[in-house]
Amino acid sequence: MELRHLRYFVAVAEQRHFGRAAERLHMAQPPLSQQIRQLEAELGVTLLTRTTRRVDLTPAGAAYLEHAREILAAVDEAGAVATRIAAGRTGRLTVGCVGSATYSLLPALAKRMRSELPDVDFGFRGEMLSPDQAAALHDGSLDLALLRRLPDTSGLTLTDVRHERLIVALPQEHRYADRKRLRVADLAGEGLIIHAGNGRSVMHTLVHDLFAEADLELQVVHQVAETSTLVTFVAAGLGIAVVPEPTSALNVPGVVYVPLVGTPGVDLVVATREGDANPVLARALARLAEIAGS
């Protein structure tokens, strides 16, 4: 038995006439009659009673029609689902972000993807350290990661998103709050709030390196796990912080941001698993490129 037999039977059962059913199916009537007889022979039951004027369903035919419709509907739905998945219009995608991207790129990406692809199950995880995101990509709990460059990115495909300048987050009443720019040397003796991580945080390492290259002692007063906490501590007057420029999107009252010149800045990259052919991922990458470039 083939699906075409079910489609032929349903057409005849609904039209109650072989001629009209043949027209609906765009085929000649004799082959249609032959196919229905083959179906009945295979089943070993009579599905239709035929007269010169009309066709009626037997009780067995009425029951068969109900199930045939369900089967054909399920087949059509399976095809539609496959088409949507292939087009990247349904499925699942989980996105991870480092702190600054959580507040600058993630909201726009989440809004865009949920608007364009309402049938996709999106998950978003912000404030993740870059090594944690890389590990999550490898174990499959993340599909797309916005992170900092790492020494080991084997098994991952990386694409540059943008280069981010460094800025200094200062309490509003700080003596440097009115400055147009600062250098690392200006931060000598200041109490710094930095990302925790013992080297696992790229920003933790970067700040240590900046002070070492300037031959300055880094005076750490607090270490925090999340960028939002770091900026909140600055607003409370507990210290200052060196952060990527997009962190200013937090707009925490009581915090002033001043560019830190003479530094290399830091790159934001998007990482995916090598060879990941998820069509939803391709759409997300395209939208991310549009948002980052706007």
Side-chain angles (χ1 to χ4, degrees), residues 43-55:
L43 294 173
V45 298
T46 299
L47 300 174
L48 304 168
T49 59
R50 304 157 176 84
T51 68
T52 55
R53 295 191 174 186
R54 61 178 285 120
V55 174

PDB file of all heavy atoms in Angstrom, residues 43-55:
ATOM      1  N   LEU A  43      -6.619  -4.978   1.226  1.00  0.00           N
ATOM      2  CA  LEU A  43      -7.215  -4.975   2.560  1.00  0.00           C
ATOM      3  C   LEU A  43      -8.104  -6.194   2.789  1.00  0.00           C
ATOM      4  O   LEU A  43      -8.344  -6.607   3.934  1.00  0.00           O
ATOM      5  CB  LEU A  43      -8.029  -3.692   2.773  1.00  0.00           C
ATOM      6  CG  LEU A  43      -7.250  -2.380   2.809  1.00  0.00           C
ATOM      7  CD1 LEU A  43      -8.223  -1.211   2.863  1.00  0.00           C
ATOM      8  CD2 LEU A  43      -6.309  -2.351   4.017  1.00  0.00           C
ATOM      9  N   GLY A  44      -8.670  -6.730   1.701  1.00  0.00           N
ATOM     10  CA  GLY A  44      -9.578  -7.863   1.835  1.00  0.00           C
ATOM     11  C   GLY A  44     -10.959  -7.462   2.283  1.00  0.00           C
ATOM     12  O   GLY A  44     -11.709  -8.294   2.828  1.00  0.00           O
ATOM     13  N   VAL A  45     -11.315  -6.169   2.098  1.00  0.00           N
ATOM     14  CA  VAL A  45     -12.639  -5.683   2.479  1.00  0.00           C
ATOM     15  C   VAL A  45     -13.176  -4.789   1.363  1.00  0.00           C
ATOM     16  O   VAL A  45     -12.417  -4.237   0.565  1.00  0.00           O
ATOM     17  CB  VAL A  45     -12.619  -4.879   3.804  1.00  0.00           C
ATOM     18  CG1 VAL A  45     -12.168  -5.742   4.960  1.00  0.00           C
ATOM     19  CG2 VAL A  45     -11.723  -3.648   3.671  1.00  0.00           C
ATOM     20  N   THR A  46     -14.482  -4.642   1.341  1.00  0.00           N
ATOM     21  CA  THR A  46     -15.111  -3.717   0.408  1.00  0.00           C
ATOM     22  C   THR A  46     -15.262  -2.372   1.105  1.00  0.00           C
ATOM     23  O   THR A  46     -15.887  -2.280   2.165  1.00  0.00           O
ATOM     24  CB  THR A  46     -16.483  -4.240  -0.030  1.00  0.00           C
ATOM     25  OG1 THR A  46     -16.313  -5.494  -0.695  1.00  0.00           O
ATOM     26  CG2 THR A  46     -17.158  -3.257  -0.980  1.00  0.00           C
ATOM     27  N   LEU A  47     -14.698  -1.337   0.515  1.00  0.00           N
ATOM     28  CA  LEU A  47     -14.752   0.000   1.100  1.00  0.00           C
ATOM     29  C   LEU A  47     -15.879   0.836   0.511  1.00  0.00           C
ATOM     30  O   LEU A  47     -16.413   1.718   1.191  1.00  0.00           O
ATOM     31  CB  LEU A  47     -13.415   0.727   0.874  1.00  0.00           C
ATOM     32  CG  LEU A  47     -12.180   0.058   1.475  1.00  0.00           C
ATOM     33  CD1 LEU A  47     -10.925   0.817   1.043  1.00  0.00           C
ATOM     34  CD2 LEU A  47     -12.271   0.016   2.990  1.00  0.00           C
ATOM     35  N   LEU A  48     -16.204   0.549  -0.739  1.00  0.00           N
ATOM     36  CA  LEU A  48     -17.177   1.367  -1.447  1.00  0.00           C
ATOM     37  C   LEU A  48     -18.211   0.491  -2.131  1.00  0.00           C
ATOM     38  O   LEU A  48     -17.889  -0.587  -2.654  1.00  0.00           O
ATOM     39  CB  LEU A  48     -16.482   2.231  -2.509  1.00  0.00           C
ATOM     40  CG  LEU A  48     -15.347   3.158  -2.037  1.00  0.00           C
ATOM     41  CD1 LEU A  48     -14.592   3.698  -3.238  1.00  0.00           C
ATOM     42  CD2 LEU A  48     -15.928   4.303  -1.210  1.00  0.00           C
ATOM     43  N   THR A  49     -19.431   0.980  -2.135  1.00  0.00           N
ATOM     44  CA  THR A  49     -20.460   0.355  -2.974  1.00  0.00           C
ATOM     45  C   THR A  49     -20.708   1.277  -4.146  1.00  0.00           C
ATOM     46  O   THR A  49     -20.850   2.490  -3.990  1.00  0.00           O
ATOM     47  CB  THR A  49     -21.766   0.134  -2.184  1.00  0.00           C
ATOM     48  OG1 THR A  49     -22.241   1.386  -1.692  1.00  0.00           O
ATOM     49  CG2 THR A  49     -21.540  -0.824  -1.024  1.00  0.00           C
ATOM     50  N   ARG A  50     -20.756   0.680  -5.329  1.00  0.00           N
ATOM     51  CA  ARG A  50     -20.819   1.474  -6.547  1.00  0.00           C
ATOM     52  C   ARG A  50     -22.147   1.239  -7.261  1.00  0.00           C
ATOM     53  O   ARG A  50     -22.591   0.101  -7.413  1.00  0.00           O
ATOM     54  CB  ARG A  50     -19.655   1.113  -7.460  1.00  0.00           C
ATOM     55  CG  ARG A  50     -18.283   1.256  -6.820  1.00  0.00           C
ATOM     56  CD  ARG A  50     -17.273   0.377  -7.542  1.00  0.00           C
ATOM     57  NE  ARG A  50     -15.914   0.534  -7.042  1.00  0.00           N
ATOM     58  CZ  ARG A  50     -15.421  -0.102  -5.983  1.00  0.00           C
ATOM     59  NH1 ARG A  50     -16.202  -0.921  -5.285  1.00  0.00           N
ATOM     60  NH2 ARG A  50     -14.166   0.073  -5.629  1.00  0.00           N
ATOM     61  N   THR A  51     -22.738   2.317  -7.717  1.00  0.00           N
ATOM     62  CA  THR A  51     -23.895   2.238  -8.606  1.00  0.00           C
ATOM     63  C   THR A  51     -23.558   3.070  -9.836  1.00  0.00           C
ATOM     64  O   THR A  51     -22.493   3.700  -9.911  1.00  0.00           O
ATOM     65  CB  THR A  51     -25.172   2.778  -7.929  1.00  0.00           C
ATOM     66  OG1 THR A  51     -25.036   4.195  -7.742  1.00  0.00           O
ATOM     67  CG2 THR A  51     -25.426   2.099  -6.587  1.00  0.00           C
ATOM     68  N   THR A  52     -24.470   3.104 -10.780  1.00  0.00           N
ATOM     69  CA  THR A  52     -24.204   3.893 -11.991  1.00  0.00           C
ATOM     70  C   THR A  52     -24.223   5.388 -11.703  1.00  0.00           C
ATOM     71  O   THR A  52     -23.686   6.185 -12.488  1.00  0.00           O
ATOM     72  CB  THR A  52     -25.254   3.571 -13.066  1.00  0.00           C
ATOM     73  OG1 THR A  52     -26.553   3.793 -12.511  1.00  0.00           O
ATOM     74  CG2 THR A  52     -25.121   2.120 -13.531  1.00  0.00           C
ATOM     75  N   ARG A  53     -24.847   5.798 -10.590  1.00  0.00           N
ATOM     76  CA  ARG A  53     -24.993   7.223 -10.326  1.00  0.00           C
ATOM     77  C   ARG A  53     -24.108   7.747  -9.184  1.00  0.00           C
ATOM     78  O   ARG A  53     -23.744   8.914  -9.180  1.00  0.00           O
ATOM     79  CB  ARG A  53     -26.447   7.543 -10.004  1.00  0.00           C
ATOM     80  CG  ARG A  53     -27.371   7.297 -11.178  1.00  0.00           C
ATOM     81  CD  ARG A  53     -28.741   7.859 -10.916  1.00  0.00           C
ATOM     82  NE  ARG A  53     -29.612   7.752 -12.077  1.00  0.00           N
ATOM     83  CZ  ARG A  53     -30.824   8.268 -12.144  1.00  0.00           C
ATOM     84  NH1 ARG A  53     -31.321   8.933 -11.104  1.00  0.00           N
ATOM     85  NH2 ARG A  53     -31.550   8.136 -13.238  1.00  0.00           N
ATOM     86  N   ARG A  54     -23.799   6.880  -8.210  1.00  0.00           N
ATOM     87  CA  ARG A  54     -23.061   7.392  -7.074  1.00  0.00           C
ATOM     88  C   ARG A  54     -22.246   6.280  -6.420  1.00  0.00           C
ATOM     89  O   ARG A  54     -22.388   5.103  -6.756  1.00  0.00           O
ATOM     90  CB  ARG A  54     -23.990   8.038  -6.045  1.00  0.00           C
ATOM     91  CG  ARG A  54     -25.010   7.114  -5.452  1.00  0.00           C
ATOM     92  CD  ARG A  54     -25.876   7.802  -4.387  1.00  0.00           C
ATOM     93  NE  ARG A  54     -25.173   7.992  -3.133  1.00  0.00           N
ATOM     94  CZ  ARG A  54     -24.939   9.173  -2.563  1.00  0.00           C
ATOM     95  NH1 ARG A  54     -25.328  10.295  -3.155  1.00  0.00           N
ATOM     96  NH2 ARG A  54     -24.320   9.260  -1.400  1.00  0.00           N
ATOM     97  N   VAL A  55     -21.427   6.717  -5.489  1.00  0.00           N
ATOM     98  CA  VAL A  55     -20.587   5.810  -4.719  1.00  0.00           C
ATOM     99  C   VAL A  55     -20.886   6.048  -3.251  1.00  0.00           C
ATOM    100  O   VAL A  55     -20.968   7.191  -2.804  1.00  0.00           O
ATOM    101  CB  VAL A  55     -19.081   6.072  -4.992  1.00  0.00           C
ATOM    102  CG1 VAL A  55     -18.221   5.214  -4.075  1.00  0.00           C
ATOM    103  CG2 VAL A  55     -18.756   5.805  -6.449  1.00  0.00           C
TER     104      VAL A  55
END
